[in-house]
């Protein structure tokens, strides 16, 4: 169902035309090359490809480096929102090839690397000087040249100690007693709340060990002086400040180089990078398969509908190629390509988000599309909200060149908003109860009343029954899909027993209940009971068929009837359609009530009411749209897909001309 038929091809191509032919296949965008996971390939053709790819990888690395380096300094920044919506420049592949000046770019990238290296070294040196300046500040009150405390002289050594202020006098007395006139020191009292006193001491080099012994007695800590310091602290601070200023000027100069080069460099990196990315993808595809010295042997998947197009492209090189379709290997599963009609193709992103359908299995896209659109409209449920978002989404679709996936999503939401308008009109919800809440809109009330078919706020049970009815229909539809899939694949017993039995049993129970409640004619009660009993007997007889003995079969069959509670729970899950629809309407009514309450306030009433109305309904749109989308999707993923969907396939990812920063005009899409 709605999956493209895939075929596998093998082609031997001479190395002389391999790149040209691969470029043609890449422009077609319909061939997924199969990677051979065997041992490393060899041969002259493969060696040449690897050399080219390594070179392209180096260029790509340079392009990424330039982007990383220059993006913070870009001056001509394009809107990120517009980029996200796909507003990218369109360019042909030939034009990209002409623009990609490899020599110019490598020279530019080399210059940028040198600039970055210089900037890194400069900043590192500035950081080092600032650290030294901070240390010099700590030594700022030392009167002696700091060289005494680093290298000293031939006969004099210096050292700086820090010790608690309470021990300072005793330490000074100890130094004077032991060293006498053969020492000199400067006491630096603690500053502010600092409880430590600094001693800068000079002594004979022969007495240095004795001085250290004295310091150890008082637990004095040595203050290290950087070896670069030779002048006084004040002179060192001045020198460091001067050097740092010079380096900061150099840093500004290097930053100016980056800023002045940013726009040109980023343009090159993005444009050339797109071209090299395409080349790299092509080379990686060409490296697949088995090589010889002069040929490359490729295998690839392609849609059967594109086979003639590929054969025509290859026929131009018939003297250098051998092309044939082949049968897939044993156990080899073809990739999956969704192929749905235009009306439902917009739902394909939701299918892929859940999981890729198994090739040859069921594609649920078209099957769930009507339900998803309807449920989204019911959950969002307000015609005014739907009109606002329909206008916004329509503008986006017309104004912006969206990517294929994003365009599908916007179309999906637009259709959902159209359904929202219809359902909101049918339930009388226009920005909540705005039509009746505000006097100046009461002229629209008769029109809204004519369009209204339901009144969920006063009669919620009717909408609840509709919601549950739709849930029962979708659950039965899911079982019917599984029935058809099993029957088509030859598993007719499973179709009749596992799906047919439940469909009979559930339908019989519902019809019996409706007859008893008076919703259906009384004569239908007996056939409905017979249908339910027949379904129950079928389930009891078949649901234990894997068991070996009759007692086990019978017990498992009877026990399987308990699963009816699971189906009941699935149907009850659809009551969220009522809850979310009423939630949107109720929030809108509260917002209108608040706006009405403040509107009578003198002077500021009307502006404040308008503000509450706009902000309140904007918030309601965002919150309720998120809830409506998530819960509508949940009903598909949990209650519907669980009945039949097997998502074990892998996406079809053909080789194509795709770029990140531009739209390649030659790129063709597979239909």
């Amino acid at each position: 169902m709605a999956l493209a038929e895939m075929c596998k091809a093998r082609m031997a191509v001479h190395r002389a035309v391999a790149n040209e032919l691969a470029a043609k296949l890449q422009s077609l965008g319909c061939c997924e090359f199969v990677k051979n996971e065997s041992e490393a390939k060899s041969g002259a053709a493969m060696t040449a490809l690897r050399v080219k790819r390594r070179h392209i990888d180096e260029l790509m690395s340079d392009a990424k480096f330039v982007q990383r380096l220059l993006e913070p300094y870009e001056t001509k920044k394009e809107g990120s929102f517009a980029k996200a919506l796909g507003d990218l420049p369109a360019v042909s592949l030939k034009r990209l090839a002409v623009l990609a000046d490899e020599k110019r770019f490598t020279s530019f990238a080399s210059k940028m690397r040198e600039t970055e290296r210089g900037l890194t070294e400069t900043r590192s040196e500035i950081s080092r000087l600032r650290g030294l300046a901070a240390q010099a500040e700590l030594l700022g009150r030392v009167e002696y040249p700091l060289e005494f405390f680093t290298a000293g002289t031939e006969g004099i050594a210096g050292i700086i100690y820090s010790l608690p202020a309470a021990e300072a006098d005793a330490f000074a007395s100890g130094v004077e007693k032991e060293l006498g006139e053969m020492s000199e020191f400067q006491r630096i009292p603690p500053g502010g709340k600092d409880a430590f006193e600094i001693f800068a001491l000079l002594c004979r080099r022969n007495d240095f060990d004795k001085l250290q012994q004295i310091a150890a007695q008082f637990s004095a800590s040595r203050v290290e002086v950087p070896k670069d310091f030779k002048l006084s602290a004040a002179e060192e601070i001045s020198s460091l400040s001067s050097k740092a200023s010079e380096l900061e000027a150099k840093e500004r100069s290097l930053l100016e180089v980056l800023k002045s080069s940013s726009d040109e460099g980023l343009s090159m990196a993005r444009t050339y990078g797109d071209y090299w990315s395409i080349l790299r993808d092509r080379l990686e595809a060409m490296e697949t398969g088995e090589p010889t010295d002069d040929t490359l042997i490729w295998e690839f998947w392609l849609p059967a509908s594109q086979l003639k197009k590929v054969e025509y492209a290859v026929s131009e090189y018939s003297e250098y190629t051998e092309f044939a379709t082949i049968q897939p290997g044993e156990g080899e599963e073809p990739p999956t390509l969704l192929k749905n009609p235009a009306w439902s193709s917009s739902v394909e992103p939701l299918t892929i988000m859940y999981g890729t359908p198994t090739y040859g299995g069921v594609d649920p896209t078209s099957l769930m599309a009507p339900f998803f659109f309807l449920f989204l409209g019911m959950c969002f449920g307000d015609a005014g909200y739907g009109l606002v978002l329909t206008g916004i989404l329509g503008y986006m679709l017309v104004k912006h060149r969206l990517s294929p996936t994003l365009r599908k999503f916007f179309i999906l939401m637009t259709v959902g908003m159209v359904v929202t308008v219809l359902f909101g009109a049918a339930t009388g919800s226009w920005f909540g109860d705005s039509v009746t809440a505000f006097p100046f809109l009461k002229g629209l009330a008769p029109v809204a009343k004519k369009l209204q078919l339901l009144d969920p706020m006063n009669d919620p049970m009717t909408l609840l029954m509709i919601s549950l009815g739709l849930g029962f229909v979708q659950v039965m539809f899911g079982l019917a899909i599984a029935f058809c899939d099993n029957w088509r694949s030859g598993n007719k017993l499973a179709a009749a027993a596992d799906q047919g039995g439940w469909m009979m049993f559930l339908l019989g129970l519902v019809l019996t209940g409706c007859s008893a409640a008076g919703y259906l004619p009384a004569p239908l009660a007996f056939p409905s009971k017979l249908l339910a009993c027949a379904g129950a007997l079928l389930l009891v007889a078949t649901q234990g068929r894997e068991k070996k003995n009759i007692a086990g079969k019978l017990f498992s069959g009877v026990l399987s009837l308990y699963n009816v509670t699971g189906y009941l729970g699935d149907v009850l899950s659809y009551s969220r359609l009522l809850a979310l629809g009423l939630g949107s309407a109720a929030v809108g009514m509260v917002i209108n009530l608040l706006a009405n309450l403040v509107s009578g306030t003198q002077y500021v009433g009307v502006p404040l009411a308008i503000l509450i109305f706009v902000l309140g309904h904007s918030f309601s749109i965002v919150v309720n749209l998120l809830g409506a989308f998530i819960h509508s999707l949940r009903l598909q993923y949990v209650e519907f897909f669980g009945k039949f969907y097997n998502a074990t396939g892998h996406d079809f990812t053909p080789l194509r001309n795709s770029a990140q920063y531009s739209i390649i005009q030659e790129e063709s899409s597979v239909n």
Side-chain angles (χ1 to χ4, degrees), residues 13 17 52 61 228 247 280 336 349 469 472 488 546 550 558:
V13 55
V17 297
K52 289 181 181 178
S61 177
D228 292 344
L247 290 174
R280 183 186 58 188
T336 300
F472 181 75
R488 178 176 57 88
E546 297 85 3
I550 295 178
V558 173

Side-chain angles (χ1 to χ4, degrees), residues 174-187:
V175 172
E176 290 176 346
K177 180 179 179 181
E178 293 293 333
L179 301 182
E181 296 180 354
M182 296 297 105
S183 68
E184 181 181 344
F185 61 83
Q186 176 192 357
R187 292 181 63 172

Side-chain angles (χ1 to χ4, degrees), residues 241-253:
S241 176
S242 176
K243 292 178 181 177
S245 297
E246 292 177 5
L247 290 174
E248 287 170 353
K250 181 179 179 182
E251 179 187 22
R252 289 192 293 272
S253 175

Side-chain angles (χ1 to χ4, degrees), residues 12-17 21 294-295 313-323:
V13 55
H14 193 276
R15 59 185 295 188
V17 297
L21 181 53
D294 295 318
T295 62
V314 174
S315 66
E316 299 181 28
Y317 305 89
S318 57
E319 295 181 4
Y320 302 95
T321 60
E322 289 290 339
F323 179 85

Side-chain angles (χ1 to χ4, degrees), residues 79-88 391-404 406-407 410 663:
S80 57
F81 182 69
K83 278 187 177 180
L85 292 177
D87 284 343
L88 301 172
I392 294 174
L393 292 168
Y395 173 81
M396 295 293 185
L397 287 168
V398 174
K399 179 69 175 178
H400 297 281
R401 187 188 292 131
L402 305 173
S403 66
L406 195 58
R407 176 166 289 276
F410 273 52
I663 297 174

